[in-house]
Amino acid sequence: MIPVVVLTGFLGAGKTTLLKRLLRDPDYADSAVIINEYGEVPLDHDLLASSEETFVATATGCLCCVVRSDLAATLMDLHRRRAAGEVPAYRRVLIETSGLADPAPILHALMTEQPVLETHRLEAVATLVDALHGPAALERHPEAQRQVRLADRILLTKPDLADAAALRAMLATLNPAAETRDVLHGVVPAAWLLAPAPRTDEWLDATARHSANLGSVIIQREGPLPAMALTLWLQGLAEHLGPKLLRLKGLVCIAEAPKAPAVLHGIGHVMHAPEWLDAWPSADHRSRIVLIGQGIPPYWPLRLLDAIEQEVRSASQRLGNDGVVDRG
Amino acid sequence: MTPPELRALLADSVALWGATARVTLDGEAVRVDAMRVTAATPEDLPIRWWLERPGQRRPCTSVLGLLRSLRNALGGGEAQKLRVV
């Protein structure tokens, strides 16, 4: 599986400067780069002044709008050329989005396109925020906010040009789980930038500590949840939240297998099949689910879960606890 | 689910769909504008909920089915299906 790191950030945040610096750094060698630009002429690609064949520029418009076909096709074409020895055997892919891109559809493509899923793994989302113009972009442009909300790590660029205290507070409110680092002239340690995203339990703990955040809904439950109730609840979230759900992560105690938690990951109406950990990562065995979204009534997800769980438990009791429920 | 719990869920759902509808308690039922939602009796199983509109009584076998019917009735837009990858 080839790891993929998505570099995003609003217009002028310094993505191309960063990429230019990264590509001269031996620590970032063996990276294929996919650049998306908004407009007819792929200018950034030329600015990077590289002759590497593993550069791909897409100029078909904002990547998030055409991402299903373009990104998957581009990744798989590169993969095919790598296998055929037509391009160097790169070990990771960096995707630079256009400044106007909403990263969610890009992550969707990485999560849903079957050939991509079989060959690539989304490692992390890194979002650049300009210390000087970032506050205005975050206030005026929902895309900039979504870029921050979906980040696993945040790179605060041009920190020498402005006092970024207020911006840091804004970033911590929008995304308390993401680690933020100052980045001057594109210097970023590869070990940090290219590392896998934080573990789910760490992410949940960091987010739960800031449960008053706008757009975050935290659900914590003491008892185990029937698998059927969880499945139906996820179906309900997909149906009714859809694109309003930017991200869902959770550690859930399932009634049928309570000794280790199931890890949930989802974006919009797309959910990963639950993964099972070998054991609970800490003494805290409560189920914890965090939903980050926009326009979600804060109690709706829990109310729906309670209603579904009641129905499932009552049906299971009626059927002698076998949990088989026909819900046509 | 008690009628107040059902009213809270339906009121939140209406807000989520961006629909305009008044959600109120009406004894053991919940009114959503001119519609009325009531819990089915155990004898009605597998029906769990009734959604009554003038001249129509629609059965729903789950709370998800109820929300789907209500959303359609309110013109709340097309729902997306869960996709598991």
Side-chain angles (χ1 to χ4, degrees):
Chain A
M1 299 287 269
I2 298 174
V4 178
V5 174
V6 176
L7 287 176
T8 186
F10 204 66
L11 298 170
K15 296 184 295 299
T16 306
T17 303
L18 175 73
L19 208 48
K20 200 171 175 178
R21 178 73 168 61
L22 297 186
L23 295 172
R24 289 201 306 260
D25 186 332
D27 287 344
Y28 293 88
D30 306 330
S31 299
V33 179
I34 296 176
I35 302 172
N36 167 244
E37 294 182 64
Y38 192 79
E40 293 295 317
V41 181
L43 184 64
D44 282 356
H45 178 231
D46 294 335
L47 289 176
L48 283 165
S50 171
S51 59
E52 287 288 333
E53 289 168 303
T54 44
F55 276 98
V56 178
T58 62
T60 47
C62 183
L63 186 57
C64 64
C65 307
V66 293
V67 68
R68 284 287 155 81
S69 51
D70 270 22
L71 180 58
T74 303
L75 276 169
M76 292 316 297
D77 183 53
L78 259 180
H79 192 259
R80 182 191 56 74
R81 288 161 57 197
R82 174 182 184 267
E86 295 170 16
V87 296
Y90 55 85
R91 289 192 298 134
R92 71 183 68 83
V93 178
L94 303 176
I95 298 176
E96 181 199 342
T97 74
S98 90
L100 295 170
D102 172 356
I106 296 167
L107 306 188
H108 261 285
L110 292 170
M111 286 172 64
T112 57
E113 296 292 335
Q114 199 57 38
V116 176
L117 268 174
E118 288 167 5
T119 49
H120 296 75
R121 177 183 75 242
L122 175 63
E123 196 82 318
V125 179
T127 298
L128 284 75
V129 180
D130 175 348
L132 190 59
H133 301 294
L138 287 169
E139 272 180 26
R140 292 177 198 155
H141 301 285
E143 296 89 351
Q145 286 198 16
R146 289 169 74 92
Q147 290 165 352
V148 169
R149 283 176 187 274
L150 285 169
D152 293 306
R153 43 193 66 104
I154 297 172
L155 289 70
L156 191 62
T157 59
K158 309 170 196 174
D160 52 330
L161 299 184
D163 176 5
L167 176 58
R168 284 180 212 282
M170 194 186 295
L171 296 173
T173 301
L174 285 169
N175 187 343
E179 186 187 348
T180 301
R181 281 202 184 185
D182 288 2
V183 175
L184 201 55
H185 310 305
V187 180
V188 189
W192 180 72
L193 183 66
L194 302 177
R199 289 191 348 233
T200 299
D201 57 314
E202 293 169 347
W203 186 90
L204 288 168
D205 288 345
T207 309
R209 279 197 299 275
H210 301 80
S211 57
N213 283 342
L214 289 173
S216 294
V217 177
I218 316 285
I219 293 179
Q220 296 193 75
R221 295 176 77 86
E222 295 288 343
L225 193 62
M228 175 66 85
L230 178 66
T231 304
L232 292 169
W233 183 65
L234 293 175
Q235 184 181 322
L237 296 185
E239 278 189 35
H240 298 287
L241 298 182
K244 287 182 175 156
L245 180 59
L246 292 177
R247 202 160 199 176
L248 176 147
K249 285 192 186 185
L251 284 180
V252 182
C253 180
I254 304 288
E256 288 83 348
K259 287 186 179 168
V263 181
L264 305 180
H265 282 285
I267 295 175
H269 69 291
V270 180
M271 303 284 165
H272 271 298
E275 293 169 30
W276 296 87
L277 297 185
D278 293 334
W280 286 90
S282 70
D284 186 354
H285 290 194
R286 289 173 302 171
S287 293
R288 289 162 283 159
I289 305 170
V290 175
L291 297 88
I292 296 177
Q294 291 175 326
I296 303 175
Y299 296 105
W300 183 84
L302 182 57
R303 284 177 172 143
L304 181 65
L305 181 59
D306 286 343
I308 289 173
E309 187 181 0
Q310 277 183 38
E311 285 189 353
V312 168
R313 287 196 185 279
S314 123
S316 294
Q317 283 168 6
R318 204 177 67 252
L319 298 171
N321 281 327
D322 67 1
V324 178
V325 187
D326 179 6
R327 308 180 63 84
Chain B
M1 194 166 18
T2 65
E5 287 170 343
L6 176 63
R7 193 207 71 80
L9 175 64
L10 298 187
D12 272 359
S13 301
V14 167
L16 180 63
W17 303 328
T20 309
R22 195 172 147 79
V23 184
T24 53
L25 276 176
D26 180 11
E28 293 297 300
V30 175
R31 277 198 177 277
V32 182
D33 279 351
M35 292 177 283
R36 199 163 172 273
V37 179
T38 52
T41 63
E43 292 74 41
D44 293 331
L45 281 171
I47 297 162
R48 291 183 175 277
W49 304 97
W50 292 102
L51 176 60
E52 298 170 36
R53 307 168 72 176
Q56 188 187 32
R57 192 172 188 232
R58 185 184 178 87
C60 303
T61 58
S62 66
V63 71
L64 282 184
L66 171 65
L67 291 182
R68 205 172 294 138
S69 297
L70 202 54
R71 179 175 177 158
N72 288 338
L74 291 170
E78 195 175 334
Q80 288 186 291
K81 288 214 166 87
L82 173 66
R83 182 170 175 192
V84 179
V85 294

